Every structure is written in C-alpha cells, then in structure tokens.
Amino acid sequence: LIPPGPDLVCTVYALWRIGACAVVVDRGLGIRGMRRAIRGAAPQHVVGSTEGLILAKTLQIPGRRISTRSLGQLARNFSPAGVSARSSDEAVVVFTSGATGPAKGVIYRHHQVQRTMTLLGDHYSLGAKDSLVAAFAPWALLGPGLGITSVIPDMDVTRPGTLTATSLADAITSAHGTVIWAAPAALRNVLATADTLSAAQKAGMSDIRLLLSAGAPVPLSLLEQAAVLFPGASIRTPYGMT
C-alpha cells in the first residue's frame, strides 16, 4: 500500500530480490474492491505509507505491518548472502480492472516478468541512452528492470487525467526523457493544457522518440493530436497486452 514513486519501485525490486511475491492493487478499484482483492490474496506482510497502513487497519487486512519509514533501516541491516529468487517463483499478483466483474488476481512468475520486460525492450529498442517518463502506474517498474533512467511526473498516477502538459514537460526536462508511457486520459489532459507550455517546453517535446499509450482504447483523433505536440515521436498503442 505504497503510492507510486521511489519507495514503491525500491520495495518491489527488494521483494523480487529475496524471492517474495508482491501483491499490487490499483486504488481505482475503490475501498470495497481493494478490500476484496487484498484479503483474497491473504498477504503475510503489508508494506505501506502511513496512510496505507491506516487503510490496512480500516480494511482489516491480515499480515505483519512494515512502514515505508523503516525501509532505510531494513536495507542497512540486510545481508543478501544466500538469498535469491528462482525463475519459477511467483513474482507479483496483479488484479484486473474489475470492469466486467469483481477484480481477479493474476499471477506472474519471475520468468514471465523478465520475458515481458525483455520483449518490450527489444521490440521498442529501449537502451541505455533512453529515459522513461512513466505516467502510467504499472510501467514505473519497467525502466529499472531494463536498466534505464525513469521518472514519474508530478501527478496522481491512479488518476491519469491529473497529468498536465507542464508537469509532463518538467519530467521530460529533468530526466532528459526520450520515451513516454501514458494512459489515454493522461494524454487527453496534456493536450488540453498544452497552451500553458513555454516555447522551451514545447521544444523539449521534440526530444521524445517514442510515445506509448495504453490502459484503455486510444482514439485515432487523440493520436493525431499527440503527433502535433510530439513531432519527433513514433506513437504506438500496445493496448490489451495484459
């Protein structure tokens, strides 16, 4: 129960490193949906921010509590000797959107996660020279897995429509971004607020070589408008890949 950001990325990779399986639940499921999903997964531990641990108590989620405030101390005391995950071990449980019924947990094993990352990296030629601007929550984990710089824009990634053109431009500048992954709702609001961009910020948009949009159907008109704002980008829609 950690908001997307550095703590979440570090925690997920730490869990993978020690062979533990992470349970990831989208806040978009709502309180009732989250409670059903998490309790169904029967976690042994709950890692959360202060707000996340309060929510865990409210929802009566089982498991030992670990605060993100203690992560630094845990890292300093950790000895990695003899600890590793096998390719067949469960790596993560993610939940479907719940659009067609109660959200269902889907298990990904380590070899599946690795193959997905490798496939995306190879297909889109993602390499050390790239920098990922992850405006779509699940893919904040993609960049570190491929060994490339990643940044999450100033937004609520559980509500894609909160991404503004200015926030996106700032993220591109700070990370020298070359690749963007954003949901259609995020792209729509970026285009709606594009008139707030300075000339320098607009110029920075031309550094994007690849724009990926998924998470929902992407209208052709949205892609055509995005092509104007990102003139140097190849625009792709890997929708439905889950």
Side-chain angles (χ1 to χ4, degrees), residues 55-75:
L55 178 63
K57 182 177 181 179
T58 301
L59 299 183
Q60 298 180 315
I61 303 301
R64 176 190 174 193
R65 273 45 170 169
I66 301 173
S67 171
T68 51
R69 291 183 295 180
S70 68
L71 294 181
Q73 186 62 41
L74 286 173

Side-chain angles (χ1 to χ4, degrees), residues 62-154:
R64 176 190 174 193
R65 273 45 170 169
I66 301 173
S67 171
T68 51
R69 291 183 295 180
S70 68
L71 294 181
Q73 186 62 41
L74 286 173
R76 286 188 290 273
N77 294 338
F78 176 65
S79 174
V83 179
S84 62
R86 298 168 299 182
S87 65
S88 60
D89 287 344
E90 295 176 359
V92 62
V93 176
V94 296
F95 287 82
T96 57
S97 66
T100 58
K104 294 168 281 293
V106 181
I107 295 173
Y108 282 83
R109 300 183 184 276
H110 280 277
H111 67 86
Q112 293 170 308
V113 173
Q114 183 60 56
R115 287 176 185 173
T116 300
M117 289 186 175
T118 300
L119 175 66
L120 288 168
D122 291 346
H123 185 72
Y124 293 120
S125 301
L126 300 174
K129 293 182 179 180
D130 283 309
S131 182
L132 173 67
V133 179
F136 185 48
W139 301 107
L141 296 170
L142 175 63
L146 295 175
I148 65 176
T149 300
S150 301
V151 62
I152 299 174
D154 184 11

Side-chain angles (χ1 to χ4, degrees), residues 165-210:
T166 300
S167 293
L168 181 60
D170 289 344
I172 293 171
T173 300
S174 68
H176 304 290
T178 61
V179 179
I180 295 175
W181 195 306
L187 272 185
R188 195 170 289 113
N189 197 51
V190 165
L191 292 167
T193 56
D195 58 353
T196 63
L197 295 173
S198 66
Q201 288 173 322
K202 287 183 179 179
M205 298 294 191
S206 62
D207 293 335
I208 299 299
R209 71 167 187 85
L210 178 63

